[in-house]
Amino acid sequence: MSFFKSRHKPANSTQPAGAKLSAPVVAALREPEPKTVAELARRMRDDYQVQLAERVITANLQAIAVHVAVEQGDARARLLGVRLRDLWSAALPAMLKAFGDGRVAFEKVWTCDAAANLSFVRQLEPLPFEQTQLQLDAEGRFSGIALRGPRGAAIVLGPAKGWWLALDPTPAQPHGRSRYLGAPYETWKKRQDTFRLRNVLLERFALRGGVAHVPPTVEDEYGHLINNFDATAKAYTALQAGGLLLFPNHRDKQGQYEFNYTEPPGLLDPGPLEAVLDGQDVEQLRAFSIPEKTIIEGQAAGSYALVSQQMLILFAIVEDVLAQFCDSFQRYVIDPQVAANFTEETAPRVVIGFTRLSARPDSLLTEVVKSLLTEPRLSELVQSGAVDLRQLLQAAGIPLTPQAGGPGVPSAAPA
């Protein structure tokens, strides 16, 4: 049956509108992974502004505290939680490459703790991009990673031995999609053209030194003496600055033609090109959905509300990437290890999560509370009751017991 026949049902079909496509149809829609993505990402990372954008995202990703919670588990489950936290921290630097490459393939290196009777993944080894390929079964589920060797022979790492971390996967692109593609790539191409034009302009103004052996003076055909040193130096400078080389009909007494150069009408100003590059630098950040005021300060810092809104946009981009990392880590790394060590009845609930960036306490409030708790004596504002320390600590997320008291921290009234 052809692809189009498989999609279009007869008029009396009982398939509801919006129903999921069958596995063969999804397989027909699936696009092969372009193997040039890694090379494109490498070239784009050579651009300082692309590198800045990626470092902004990855720096915020690394700054978020990720935790692995173990609920209703025994000592073995808690030990597994510790191993999983260590595994996440060790693998995170390699996971960050998925932002530009669209995905990262890992080999799971298992080990066993005989004393605790615990099997766990000791290491997630990143595999070369060009030598790995995603494997899916007939239903579109992950079935392994094909790893090609130097001689073309391939081995398949099954789900127990491999982890495919895909960023922004879709049914048509289950392998993942680079965040460099789309607007970032189009903006990068325009900036490369501008860089080329600027280099051409600067090269035409570059005054490279030279050596010329010429007589100090020459006579033209009319017997006029010409300062050849001065004329040659001016002609060379004018030529390097973009002047024109002209061959007039005047000849000296030996019958040789003179070499005259016309000086350019004026020095070309590279300022407009520099201004274009400055604007394109901002465009490159916006192409990555990074508001420029969150990382660079322009001519005006803007209002607090505007900057706060732009920070929320940046936080949303970072949290989206991290949420995909955590979901994939949960499904393909945590859950298989729980299943390998516990039965369905005794399995603990092991969940990875993180604190949202927008939920972090205000930095000024944090510094105030830190100074209050670390100073040898409380501030007079707290001792006099002018500052309600209880509310201040609660706003900073520091819990207090009902019996808390002392200067500035009145005890709660008994129920």
Side-chain angles (χ1 to χ4, degrees):
M1 180 180 293
S2 69
F3 165 66
F4 292 102
K5 288 182 179 179
S6 64
R7 287 188 60 189
H8 297 83
K9 297 288 184 179
N12 58 354
S13 173
T14 58
Q15 181 178 357
K20 295 179 64 176
L21 297 176
S22 63
V25 173
V26 174
L29 292 171
R30 196 170 296 142
E31 302 174 5
E33 181 182 28
K35 292 303 180 183
T36 57
V37 170
E39 176 61 21
L40 174 63
R42 184 194 64 78
R43 291 169 52 202
M44 291 183 64
R45 286 189 179 105
D46 291 338
D47 187 318
Y48 64 87
Q49 201 70 358
V50 174
Q51 191 176 98
L52 173 63
E54 183 171 14
R55 287 186 175 178
V56 168
I57 299 296
T58 55
N60 278 274
L61 284 170
Q62 292 176 300
I64 301 179
V66 177
H67 56 270
V68 178
V70 180
E71 302 176 5
Q72 301 175 349
D74 54 11
R76 291 175 63 240
R78 290 192 294 272
L79 178 59
L80 179 60
V82 173
R83 301 294 189 190
L84 289 170
R85 283 192 293 270
D86 295 341
L87 185 64
W88 169 273
S89 300
L92 182 58
M95 294 161 58
L96 298 177
K97 287 199 67 178
F99 185 81
D101 294 349
R103 54 83 168 178
V104 182
F106 292 91
E107 178 187 5
K108 299 177 184 176
V109 182
W110 288 79
T111 189
C112 179
D113 186 341
N117 189 23
L118 188 69
S119 298
F120 59 93
V121 176
R122 173 177 57 84
Q123 182 180 358
L124 289 168
E125 183 68 31
L127 301 173
F129 184 98
E130 295 81 3
Q131 297 176 238
T132 52
Q133 184 176 4
L134 178 64
Q135 299 291 301
L136 302 174
D137 61 15
E139 298 298 325
R141 295 184 295 255
F142 173 64
S143 63
I145 301 171
L147 178 63
R148 293 189 303 275
R151 298 182 180 179
I155 61 174
V156 177
L157 302 176
K161 294 287 292 181
W163 174 35
W164 188 279
L165 173 60
L167 185 63
D168 300 331
T170 64
Q173 296 175 321
H175 41 72
R177 179 179 171 84
S178 169
R179 288 287 175 99
Y180 284 178
L181 300 179
Y185 172 65
E186 296 299 329
T187 307
W188 174 78
K189 284 199 305 181
K190 289 193 302 183
R191 295 179 70 247
Q192 299 313 300
D193 290 338
T194 307
F195 280 129
R196 181 185 59 81
L197 293 175
R198 187 183 68 171
N199 290 339
V200 170
L201 177 65
L202 295 179
E203 285 176 2
R204 292 177 67 88
F205 278 91
L207 303 181
R208 297 185 293 272
V211 178
H213 297 274
V214 296
T217 58
V218 294
E219 291 185 4
D220 61 16
E221 56 186 335
Y222 303 108
H224 300 147
L225 286 178
I226 299 174
N227 186 335
N228 204 27
F229 284 169
D230 183 58
T232 302
K234 289 182 178 179
Y236 181 81
T237 301
L239 179 64
Q240 295 300 322
L244 299 177
L245 179 62
L246 302 179
F247 299 94
N249 290 327
H250 298 290
R251 290 179 290 181
D252 59 19
K253 290 184 178 181
Q254 286 74 33
Q256 302 295 323
Y257 284 104
E258 299 177 12
F259 293 89
N260 294 334
Y261 304 90
T262 61
E263 296 188 18
L267 294 179
L268 297 180
D269 181 15
L273 274 178
E274 298 292 344
V276 170
L277 279 176
D278 289 342
Q280 289 182 341
D281 284 349
V282 173
E283 289 179 11
Q284 188 71 77
L285 293 175
R286 293 177 179 175
F288 282 102
S289 300
I290 299 177
E292 64 274 10
K293 289 187 182 297
T294 60
I295 57 176
I296 58 176
E297 184 175 352
Q299 296 179 352
S303 66
Y304 175 79
L306 176 62
V307 175
S308 298
Q309 183 63 39
Q310 292 182 344
M311 289 302 300
L312 290 177
I313 297 174
L314 176 60
F315 290 167
I317 299 298
V318 174
E319 290 172 357
D320 173 51
V321 174
L322 186 59
Q324 293 188 53
F325 285 1
C326 289
D327 290 344
S328 184
F329 191 82
Q330 177 77 45
R331 182 176 181 181
Y332 297 107
V333 179
I334 293 180
D335 292 347
Q337 294 187 63
V338 173
N341 289 279
F342 302 92
T343 64
E344 186 176 352
E345 294 76 14
T346 63
R349 188 169 183 266
V350 183
V351 181
I352 188 171
F354 60 92
T355 303
R356 295 176 58 88
L357 287 170
S358 55
R360 293 187 302 185
D362 182 77
S363 58
L364 177 60
L365 176 61
T366 303
E367 292 300 322
V368 171
V369 173
K370 185 188 301 183
S371 64
L372 290 175
L373 297 180
T374 55
E375 289 294 328
R377 56 177 298 178
L378 288 176
S379 169
E380 294 183 359
L381 292 175
V382 176
Q383 295 184 22
S384 64
V387 174
D388 190 338
L389 186 56
R390 174 181 291 278
Q391 291 189 9
L392 190 64
L393 294 176
Q394 289 177 346
I398 300 177
L400 295 175
T401 63
Q403 293 77 26
V409 190
S411 300

